[in-house]
Amino acid sequence: MSLATKSFQAIHQFNSEGWKSSKDLKSQLGHLESELSFLSTLTGINIRNYSKQTEDLTGTEMTEKSIRKVLQRHRLSGNCHMVTFQLEFQILEIQNKERLSSAVTDLNIIMEPTECSELSEFVSRAEERKDLFMFFRSLHFFVEWFEYRKRTFKHFKEKYPDAVHLSEGPSSPSIVIRSASQPGFELVIVWRIQIDEDGKVFPKLDLLTKVPQRGRVPGCSCFRCLLNMPSKAAYFLWVSQGKNQKLEISLMYFSIKF
Amino acid sequence: MEQANPLRPDGESKGGVLAHLERLETQMSKSRKQSEEPQSVQAQEGALGTKIHKLRHLRDELRAAVRHRQASVKASIANVEPNLAVEMSEQEVLEEKLENVKAVLQAYRFTGLSGKLTSRGVCVCINTAFEGNLLDSYFVDLVIQKPLRIHHHSVPVFIPLEEIAAKYLQTNIQHFLFSLCEYLNAYSGRKYQADRLQSDFAALLTGPLQRNPLCNLLSFTYKLDPGGQSFPFCARLLYKDLTATLPTDVTVTYQGVDALSTSWEEQRASHETLFCMKPLHQVFASFARKGEKLDMSLVS
């Protein structure tokens, strides 16, 4: 018993500081975790792991001229909804008498899922430009649009299961509308999400129709009018603002008429 | 028998048989020694071996003793205060979590937007960069109240903060901050270009660079061949779009009295295009490179 008590006391003494602040640790952790949750919601980016290494590259000549050179190696990983990323980048810091300059000297990005072809071109551009901020900002907006497109298509699929087909599954960039009673008629809405040179994310809509050539079917031209096909911009506007009524009406018309 | 052999040094052939004998003797004593040495070496090895064996045995005994003690201590601690034993590892877990969370919070500055919770609300930090160069940061201290308001900030006065806040702050904080990010990043980028022009390409400028605080109106005169006879070009860059780092309107004019020859006119026109398409300091870098090429041709 005495041995146990002695050891117990020894351990207690060793960790007495720690034990007293265990509650403090918990509250501190809670505070920081809520900060993390706020940042994650704000940026749309969920960072899960981060590590950093520093290497002092200052040579003896540089020290004489009071120039300091430091290379930082960073690694971080996380996700933005269904997209997971892993970044490795280097930052070179040069401090001389006048100023401190910091530049990203290398950037490597690994993203999953890799099938998102719309993203891969954007990723290589970000790596080339070493533009970290643009990468994160554009990724956030891209995923927002992606999710919105998914929800919209899903809504129509559920509402008109016979008429609506998603060619490439739930994350399909296009939707095909066919009528079971009138084969040969097809309406394809292609909704691409593009990221331009400056990292701005915008949707691009295309409408393709397939109409059989043998004779006219009543109501077809009316249907086209409803969709107001020539003005794709207007189409894009009301889809993007969530005003899907026109599309809704058209689809209803299509499914009822045909 | 001992003929002078050209391959053998002279000294060796001298003395002949006696020398040979000597050699054989030394050889023999050497080999005797060698046969003796392994014996003593062997003896030494044997002694060391047993020593090692003893030490290993001792080590194993001590290890077993330590293990036994640890086990008994653990057991007694477990009996005495089971909770405390668990708490200890819980503490380690907490500390590790804390370190991880702190590190991840640090990492958010690489997204361009980071911040801290304050007693009033939140203080958001906006980081700016241009072409991989990390530039200034700005902060906006927000008070979470109805209505949401900006307590204080470090945004320069010529950035339309109030306008952006009026549009988005009350309805969508994210939109407000992203929009502000755009303006600040663009301003940082323009400022960086102007600074680089002044510091790196002063040799090509024939007068001071005139700029406004917002760095969206730049005016300067430059010469492609600083020592040359030609008159300088005068450039005026206007960046109407405050969220862009490239100018919207560029005019390059010629300061001379006479009309420009066709080649100079072509150059003037191409410069106008260049300034619209590439960052300012990169355009001048290409000028400098061309200048070097010209020099080389003069030398050869």
Side-chain angles (χ1 to χ4, degrees):
Chain A
M1 244 348 248
S2 64
L3 174 68
T5 337
K6 274 190 198 161
S7 319
F8 181 88
Q9 277 175 347
I11 296 161
H12 184 90
Q13 255 175 339
F14 189 74
N15 266 339
S16 60
E17 272 186 316
W19 273 342
K20 276 181 200 154
S21 65
S22 180
K23 277 190 187 164
D24 293 342
L25 272 183
K26 273 199 181 149
S27 69
Q28 200 183 5
L29 187 61
H31 178 85
L32 291 180
E33 274 178 346
S34 50
E35 215 168 72
L36 201 57
S37 148
F38 165 74
L39 282 177
S40 171
T41 318
L42 179 65
T43 58
I45 305 286
N46 186 24
I47 300 179
R48 273 203 266 248
N49 276 301
Y50 169 66
S51 65
K52 158 178 155 177
Q53 282 177 323
T54 317
E55 194 183 324
D56 197 333
L57 295 179
T58 317
T60 38
E61 301 170 356
M62 292 191 227
T63 331
E64 284 162 23
K65 295 184 198 163
S66 40
I67 298 175
R68 196 158 170 257
K69 226 176 171 184
V70 173
L71 183 68
Q72 300 171 348
R73 269 180 254 267
H74 304 265
R75 186 184 291 183
L76 64 82
S77 60
N79 71 299
C80 180
H81 287 262
M82 77 296 167
V83 174
T84 56
F85 53 79
Q86 198 174 300
L87 271 72
E88 276 183 28
F89 54 97
Q90 293 182 353
I91 295 180
L92 183 62
E93 268 188 4
I94 304 179
Q95 166 101 60
N96 61 20
K97 282 180 206 149
E98 288 112 36
R99 56 192 158 110
L100 167 70
S101 78
S102 246
V104 178
T105 51
D106 190 42
L107 175 57
N108 281 301
I109 303 171
I110 301 172
M111 297 256 275
E112 258 168 50
T114 45
E115 318 89 57
C116 231
S117 58
E118 290 156 313
L119 270 180
S120 51
E121 196 195 306
F122 156 69
V123 168
S124 0
R125 210 184 303 143
E127 280 180 335
E128 224 179 86
R129 297 228 190 124
K130 306 187 179 60
D131 203 334
L132 271 172
F133 298 168
M134 180 191 79
F135 167 74
F136 281 117
R137 206 162 36 238
S138 304
L139 177 64
H140 160 71
F141 284 120
F142 178 88
V143 170
E144 248 189 25
W145 271 111
F146 189 91
E147 297 279 297
Y148 177 57
R149 178 177 74 186
K150 200 166 150 184
R151 277 199 308 272
T152 310
F153 283 173
K154 183 175 171 212
H155 163 77
F156 284 115
K157 174 72 186 169
E158 280 169 1
K159 214 155 176 196
Y160 310 101
D162 299 321
V164 171
H165 303 272
L166 295 170
S167 45
E168 289 158 50
S171 307
S172 176
S174 61
I175 190 172
V176 181
I177 303 162
R178 281 187 214 118
S179 163
S181 56
Q182 293 284 344
F185 277 95
E186 219 171 77
L187 181 67
V188 181
I189 301 170
V190 184
W191 184 349
R192 269 184 276 259
I193 304 167
Q194 293 190 326
I195 310 178
D196 74 3
E197 283 283 312
D198 300 319
K200 288 212 169 82
V201 183
F202 56 95
K204 190 156 177 273
L205 286 156
D206 274 305
L207 221 52
L208 306 163
T209 50
K210 200 165 103 178
V211 178
Q213 282 173 343
R214 28 169 184 96
R216 289 195 157 190
V217 181
C220 188
S221 49
C222 189
F223 171 61
R224 285 218 190 108
C225 278
L226 264 176
L227 282 180
N228 202 14
M229 264 161 42
S231 80
K232 290 182 191 166
Y235 189 90
F236 142 64
L237 255 173
W238 42 256
V239 170
S240 69
Q241 286 165 13
K243 296 192 185 87
N244 287 316
Q245 300 105 324
K246 261 196 184 168
L247 181 59
E248 187 108 32
I249 295 167
S250 332
L251 284 172
M252 263 168 53
Y253 185 86
F254 193 78
S255 59
I256 293 168
K257 256 309 186 174
F258 298 97
Chain B
M1 199 167 38
E2 292 293 312
Q3 276 180 358
N5 193 327
L7 291 173
R8 266 208 212 135
D10 267 337
E12 262 199 277
S13 55
K14 274 196 195 146
V17 178
L18 283 174
H20 190 65
L21 252 180
E22 249 184 67
R23 264 182 272 127
L24 286 172
E25 268 182 33
T26 41
Q27 256 187 4
M28 206 173 72
S29 59
K30 258 194 198 167
S31 59
R32 225 186 257 154
K33 256 194 189 172
Q34 276 178 352
S35 58
E36 277 174 1
E37 274 179 4
Q39 284 177 0
S40 63
V41 164
Q42 270 174 3
Q44 279 184 333
E45 277 182 9
L48 285 172
T50 27
K51 202 174 179 189
I52 289 171
H53 190 73
K54 278 187 192 163
L55 285 171
R56 279 195 184 138
H57 187 71
L58 182 59
R59 178 201 66 186
D60 291 338
E61 278 181 350
L62 286 169
R63 273 188 183 166
V66 166
R67 255 181 266 134
H68 183 75
R69 281 207 184 172
Q70 276 181 342
S72 59
V73 162
K74 267 193 188 165
S76 41
I77 286 179
N79 289 335
V80 170
E81 282 278 17
N83 294 330
L84 282 164
V86 172
E87 241 183 64
M88 235 163 64
S89 56
E90 192 188 308
Q91 168 135 325
E92 284 167 11
V93 167
L94 274 178
E95 279 173 355
E96 218 184 279
K97 259 193 179 174
L98 199 60
E99 284 310 304
N100 194 38
V101 172
K102 277 186 188 168
V104 171
L105 279 169
Q106 279 294 302
Y108 266 94
R109 59 196 159 103
F110 297 118
T111 64
L113 215 56
S114 60
K116 273 182 147 53
L117 295 178
T118 63
S119 51
R120 288 177 293 262
V122 63
C123 183
V124 179
C125 178
I126 297 173
N127 298 296
T128 61
F130 181 67
E131 298 196 326
N133 293 285
L134 304 177
L135 305 167
D136 296 325
S137 319
Y138 304 90
F139 74 86
V140 179
D141 202 333
L142 295 168
V143 181
I144 309 282
Q145 266 178 6
K146 281 238 161 92
L148 212 61
R149 62 184 178 86
I150 301 172
H151 186 249
H152 64 287
H153 64 86
S154 67
V155 176
V157 73
F158 39 78
I159 302 281
L161 178 62
E162 289 76 30
E163 244 180 66
I164 306 168
K167 263 197 221 169
Y168 307 115
L169 184 58
Q170 302 309 325
T171 46
N172 191 341
I173 296 183
Q174 197 189 59
H175 202 159
F176 163 71
L177 287 168
F178 282 162
S179 180
L180 190 56
C181 259
E182 256 192 320
Y183 278 86
L184 286 170
N185 268 289
Y187 161 66
S188 260
R190 294 193 301 268
K191 180 162 168 286
Y192 177 78
Q193 290 174 64
D195 289 341
R196 285 291 296 271
L197 174 61
Q198 272 184 304
S199 62
D200 298 355
F201 302 103
L204 294 174
L205 292 177
T206 56
L209 167 68
Q210 290 175 334
R211 57 201 268 188
N212 64 344
L214 190 48
C215 285
N216 75 325
L217 180 56
L218 302 176
S219 178
F220 52 90
T221 49
Y222 65 100
K223 249 192 186 185
L224 287 187
D225 52 343
Q229 305 285 334
S230 57
F231 277 94
F233 281 143
C234 181
R236 186 176 173 273
L237 273 61
L238 176 64
Y239 303 71
K240 271 202 202 130
D241 182 0
L242 293 182
T243 62
T245 52
L246 285 175
T248 46
D249 300 307
V250 174
T251 39
V252 177
T253 51
Y254 175 63
Q255 283 199 319
V257 182
D258 322 309
L260 273 178
S261 64
T262 29
S263 66
W264 280 109
E265 175 52 40
E266 272 173 20
Q267 226 179 43
R268 189 202 65 80
S270 78
H271 287 192
E272 269 186 359
T273 325
L274 271 175
F275 285 130
C276 278
M277 282 178 12
K278 283 170 80 177
L280 191 52
H281 59 298
Q282 283 177 18
V283 176
F284 269 82
S286 65
F287 288 167
R289 277 195 297 271
K290 277 199 205 133
E292 278 167 19
K293 280 195 197 152
L294 271 172
D295 281 340
M296 293 307 287
S297 65
L298 282 173
V299 169
S300 60

